[in-house]
Amino acid sequence: MIHIVADTHTHSVASGHAYGTITENCRAAAEKGLKFLAVTDHTPLMPGTTHPFYFDNLMTVPPVLCGINVIRGCEANIINIAGEVDLPPRILRKLELVIASMHAPIFPPPGRETVTQTYLNLAQNPDVDVIGHCGDSRFDFDHEPVLRAFAENGKVVEINAHSFDARPGSRENCPKIARLCAEYGVNIVVSTDAHFYTDIGNFKNSLDCLEQIGFPEELILNADEERFKAFITSKTGRTEYV
């Protein structure tokens, strides 16, 4: 049984289409027995979300809230084939976790060849830590070269529990992607993509997928407290946790 200690992808009311506060989310994480909660609101090009100032000032959120280690980050929008995202490097480098995702309102699905090249370029973006919900069939890509590139560049792949119900093709694509992550030694994180606090910690879809394919637990960064701490510390130098 895989035990997850951190929810690495959650949204607050700042995202514009989520409905809880950071404090409410942390309380829910504590009630679920988590150790870490990543605050990863949508970056500025997503309709209805917040200004770059929000992310520039995000480190004012306490590192510990409601007994939870708060990881202050973002879910950035991939904006072009060059693998760029919609926050400047100066802000991205202040954050503790940067997820980069393709969203149709910002990057209308451009076809398999273009998505493949976009991910290959994104793999070389030093300011991106995690690749968000890439099982979405609207953004289909050539899995093998992309996963090799993620391995070579130390990118982490997210297995997003929300995607199994909300993004077409994810139930078929996520196991394929996870198998290649195991083959190429790509670290993954399991997340909920919660947009309301009641969904925080509900990893069932992702864990069922990983257990069914026998995914190696040692490659799940947030399945071990010390492993996850090391991941965050390696980027930020942060060493104090509860």
Side-chain angles (χ1 to χ4, degrees):
M1 182 74 175
I2 300 169
H3 176 67
I4 300 299
V5 299
D7 197 337
T8 58
H9 184 161
T10 68
H11 295 277
S12 78
V13 68
S15 283
H17 57 272
Y19 304 95
T21 67
I22 292 172
T23 301
E24 288 170 334
N25 289 351
C26 286
R27 286 176 181 155
E31 290 171 1
K32 296 290 181 68
L34 298 175
K35 297 289 187 179
F36 307 83
L37 183 80
V39 177
T40 55
D41 283 306
H42 286 291
T43 46
L45 286 183
M46 178 63 75
T49 192
T50 191
H51 192 276
F53 289 170
Y54 173 86
F55 301 95
D56 203 13
N57 200 44
L58 190 58
M59 298 305 284
T60 62
V61 174
V64 178
L65 193 59
C66 306
I68 291 291
N69 295 293
V70 182
I71 308 302
R72 296 154 292 187
C74 71
E75 183 185 14
N77 298 293
I78 300 167
I79 59 174
N80 55 34
I81 194 172
E84 296 174 320
V85 299
D86 61 333
L87 279 177
R90 178 187 67 80
I91 296 178
L92 294 170
R93 291 167 190 171
K94 293 174 67 172
L95 300 176
E96 295 174 306
L97 187 70
V98 175
I99 303 169
S101 304
M102 293 190 186
H103 293 113
I106 293 93
F107 193 58
R112 180 182 175 89
E113 183 177 343
T114 299
V115 174
T116 298
Q117 189 59 55
T118 301
Y119 276 138
L120 291 173
N121 291 335
L122 183 70
Q124 299 179 57
N125 185 331
D127 298 319
V128 169
D129 305 308
V130 177
I131 313 302
H133 51 68
C134 60
D136 188 335
S137 61
R138 294 171 296 178
F139 297 97
D140 190 28
F141 62 96
D142 190 347
H143 292 165
E144 294 202 14
V146 167
L147 271 297
R148 284 197 300 267
F150 290 164
E152 291 165 3
N153 290 276
K155 300 306 179 194
V156 177
V157 168
E158 172 190 78
I159 304 298
N160 183 307
H162 179 60
S163 290
F164 288 79
D165 296 322
R167 297 184 179 95
S170 293
R171 288 189 178 273
E172 296 74 32
N173 288 329
C174 286
K176 297 175 186 176
I177 290 167
R179 286 189 180 96
L180 286 173
C181 287
E183 181 177 344
Y184 297 138
V186 178
N187 287 312
I188 71 166
V189 288
V190 172
S191 71
T192 64
D193 199 356
H195 284 63
F196 193 61
Y197 70 86
T198 53
D199 287 328
I200 287 170
N202 182 10
F203 306 110
K204 185 178 187 305
N205 286 335
S206 297
L207 295 181
D208 286 350
C209 167
L210 296 175
E211 289 171 351
Q212 284 167 10
I213 67 171
F215 190 88
E217 188 171 332
E218 62 270 19
L219 290 178
I220 308 173
L221 290 177
N222 57 336
D224 179 84
E225 184 173 348
E226 295 306 315
R227 190 185 306 145
F228 190 72
K229 285 179 184 177
F231 168 54
I232 298 300
T233 298
S234 68
K235 177 183 179 180
T236 66
R238 174 175 172 175
T239 57
E240 294 188 8
Y241 305 92
V242 295

